[in-house]
Amino acid sequence: MSQPEPLPAQRPKTVLYRNGSVYTAANPFATAMVVDGGTVAWVGSEQAATSIADSSMEIIDLRGALVTPGFVDSHIHLTETGIALDSLRLGGIRSATELLDAVAAAPGDGPVLGHGWDETAWPDSSLPTAAELERASAGRPVYLSRVDVHSALISGSLAAAAGVSQLDGFDGGARVRRAAHTAARQATRRQPEEVLKRHQARALSEAAANGYVAVAEMGAPHIGGAEDLRLAGAWNSGASGTAGVPEVLPYWGELASSEEHARSLLDQFGFAVRGLAGDLNIDGSVGSRTAALRSGYSDAPGEQGHLYLSVEEAAAHLAACSLAGVQGGFHVIGDAGLDAALAALELAAKEVGEQRVRAAGHRFEHVEMVDSSAVGVLSRYAVTVSAQPSFDAAWGGPGGLYEKRLGERSRSMNPFASLYAAGVPVCFGSDSPVTPLRPWSSVRACLEHHNEDERISARAAFLGHTRAGWRAANYPDPMAGQLVPGAPASFAVWEVEELMVQVADGRVQSWSTDPRARTPLLPALDTGSDPVCLQTVRNGVELYASPALRS
């Protein structure tokens, strides 16, 4: 007997959103939008919406809600985020005793995993010993990542299982850095595929519930390995479950030595990898004192961090990627780390030509300590800076981590306004699980930068979190990240208290509703709370919906 033919897929209903606000360059004061399948078909006024509404459409009354292009997180770690969401959350811990109490209370009988401790916020920054962690966990292996995920506290049993005793970054205590940290983390990540997929699904669900339609997954051998990135990339095809998740923009952070080597690294995955960039570490982090500095840390003058790559290795990588026509790049935070990255750019340009280097659209992650000379080099080579505004909100203010670690140098960190002014392409992300998936908080961090001279407007920050994220990934659809007819229907709906135009300079009036300004309005971010996500849609597919949307 022949098998019956499958039924054709049912075409999604045309959806009319009305009675709200739509953030669109097509009409800055639009109140309605029509979505036809996976495409924005129309944006316009309430009066026009009344004339085109019919019974074939699903009609969603926005009741004053705001529709915006969906957010793009330009730097995330899906498995790590899922683990952090479902393990011990240590951000509120304020002492070694509290941390040990949290370990002792951890449910289950497997490894005790946790994330987010920050000893610089403790009255007494003393850390627990490996033996104390072992006793608190009753012998269960313990891995507790610091907030920056560049070091961790581990128990003696995990140290033995991971074989860290002879590795760089292990001094016999509980805290591990560099190679020892990599080994300890990987020992806790050797889990069945279904467990890793569950962690990634948890992270993607969290992203969708916060208005993200795409995330740049930063895979690397020292983080989750190639199999972890394969699982992440499979979400785009639905092979890992459902297609109803944010798009994953995968990157692989492994060093290439030639054009052929670069191509082979990309070809191993069997799907499109955006580039050999992301967390290919030139250096580490300020919090763990592994970011490479020109001079010593203010609170540890004998330490200057660590360079993981030589200038020659980094230059060969950029040259290889340039010849292959793919993005290359690095994780770089310290000023000495950036010096190495910029010297590598210059060497690569001498080898393959400046035009090839520019055309590849390389990207550097973080780039926190950058002076005017470095800004000029980044601009000349059209290098995208993928930055994390919430770093400044968390650690950039007076008395914060950066000031403690770096002293006066902290004031010039994360110079967003200077980068924008020089024409450096900038996009924004969370580095989750380092900071939460809260895009409006990140936009606010740009407006409220601890250095007033480096603040940018809400509009510039919003574009850096949306359209710029697609461009930074060399996404093929030039319409992505905007709500105009013909663009992908990838957007979020927000419950907002007030809309306004917000500028970075407090001396200038920070709101306007004058139609002559022709500037789309964004949520007021000085109200003490973020807009609430009511719905997230990617290419016409609903990823998340609050019960309040259609009630």
Side-chain angles (χ1 to χ4, degrees), residues 176-504:
V176 287
R177 298 178 174 88
R178 300 187 294 277
H181 174 236
T182 295
R185 174 163 60 179
Q186 290 182 335
T188 66
R189 302 306 188 254
R190 298 188 187 104
Q191 300 182 34
E193 181 178 302
E194 61 270 20
V195 174
L196 297 176
K197 286 167 62 175
R198 187 170 69 244
H199 291 315
Q200 293 188 357
R202 178 75 169 88
L204 289 165
S205 176
E206 178 78 2
N210 284 281
Y212 290 97
V213 295
V215 295
E217 167 67 6
M218 296 299 171
H222 67 280
I223 300 177
E227 186 54 35
D228 192 63
L229 189 65
R230 288 191 184 95
L231 291 175
W235 291 100
N236 290 336
S237 65
S240 286
T242 173
V245 296
E247 183 165 356
V248 176
L249 306 171
Y251 283 87
W252 181 239
E254 186 171 355
L255 196 67
S257 57
S258 66
E259 177 183 358
E260 294 73 21
H261 187 207
R263 294 187 186 281
S264 69
L265 290 174
L266 295 171
D267 290 345
Q268 68 179 303
F269 293 100
F271 55 79
V273 175
R274 311 308 306 182
L276 296 173
D279 275 339
L280 174 52
N281 287 23
I282 272 190
D283 68 349
S285 75
V286 172
S288 291
R289 295 199 194 93
T290 50
L293 304 184
R294 295 169 181 166
S295 58
Y297 283 86
S298 296
D299 57 352
E303 297 185 36
Q304 289 183 240
H306 192 79
L307 278 175
Y308 296 107
L309 299 177
S310 69
V311 170
E312 291 72 23
E313 288 173 319
H317 177 76
L318 291 175
C321 292
S322 299
L323 289 171
V326 300
Q327 286 183 305
F330 313 102
H331 161 119
V332 53
I333 286 182
D335 48 11
L338 185 57
D339 288 344
L342 298 180
L345 271 175
E346 301 279 13
L347 275 180
K350 287 179 181 178
E351 180 179 340
V352 304
E354 185 172 324
Q355 285 304 110
R356 279 187 182 272
V357 172
R358 287 177 56 86
H362 300 308
R363 58 186 289 161
F364 291 174
E365 308 299 311
H366 315 309
V367 191
E368 293 197 82
M369 299 179 70
V370 51
D371 57 25
S372 58
S373 174
V375 170
V377 177
L378 292 168
S379 177
R380 186 167 84 250
Y381 289 106
V383 175
T384 292
V385 168
S386 170
Q388 291 69 43
S390 291
F391 286 9
D392 183 75
W395 305 309
L401 166 69
Y402 290 162
E403 187 176 87
K404 292 176 182 177
R405 291 281 194 267
L406 303 170
E408 183 59 28
R409 289 170 291 181
S410 67
R411 179 163 173 77
S412 61
M413 291 182 68
N414 296 298
F416 302 144
S418 295
L419 292 167
Y420 271 78
V424 176
V426 180
C427 62
F428 295 121
S430 65
D431 197 11
S432 179
V434 176
T435 65
L437 289 161
R438 299 292 183 269
W440 291 111
S441 292
S442 189
V443 172
R444 182 188 296 109
C446 294
L447 274 168
E448 299 178 355
H449 194 290
H450 82 279
N451 182 345
E452 293 184 6
D453 293 337
E454 296 299 347
R455 293 174 178 174
I456 59 176
S457 69
R459 180 174 182 271
F462 178 74
L463 292 175
H465 284 84
T466 53
R467 194 173 184 185
W470 296 109
R471 290 181 173 179
N474 285 345
Y475 200 73
D477 188 343
M479 305 285 278
Q482 51 187 325
L483 296 180
V484 295
S490 296
F491 58 89
V493 179
W494 306 93
E495 182 181 286
V496 295
E497 296 181 24
E498 183 181 2
L499 297 175
M500 61 171 58
V501 174
Q502 295 151 98
V503 297

Side-chain angles (χ1 to χ4, degrees), residues 21-33 40 42-44 66-69 459 462-463 466-467 471 478-487 515 517-522:
S21 296
V22 181
Y23 186 93
T24 173
N27 179 350
F29 294 94
T31 62
M33 179 176 76
V40 175
W42 172 85
V43 292
L66 171 67
V67 183
T68 72
R459 180 174 182 271
F462 178 74
L463 292 175
T466 53
R467 194 173 184 185
R471 290 181 173 179
M479 305 285 278
Q482 51 187 325
L483 296 180
V484 295
R518 305 296 295 171
T519 303
L521 304 179
L522 285 168

Side-chain angles (χ1 to χ4, degrees), residues 36-78:
D36 187 9
T39 305
V40 175
W42 172 85
V43 292
S45 68
E46 191 61 27
Q47 182 179 5
T50 299
S51 68
I52 64 176
D54 64 46
S55 59
S56 68
M57 299 177 175
E58 178 185 4
I59 298 177
I60 294 180
D61 185 349
L62 293 170
R63 290 171 289 183
L66 171 67
V67 183
T68 72
F71 284 96
V72 179
D73 193 303
S74 290
H75 191 120
I76 192 176
H77 304 281
L78 288 173

Side-chain angles (χ1 to χ4, degrees), residues 537-550:
V537 174
R538 176 171 74 89
N539 294 338
V541 176
E542 186 172 83
L543 311 185
Y544 167 81
S546 164
L549 178 72
R550 295 181 175 89

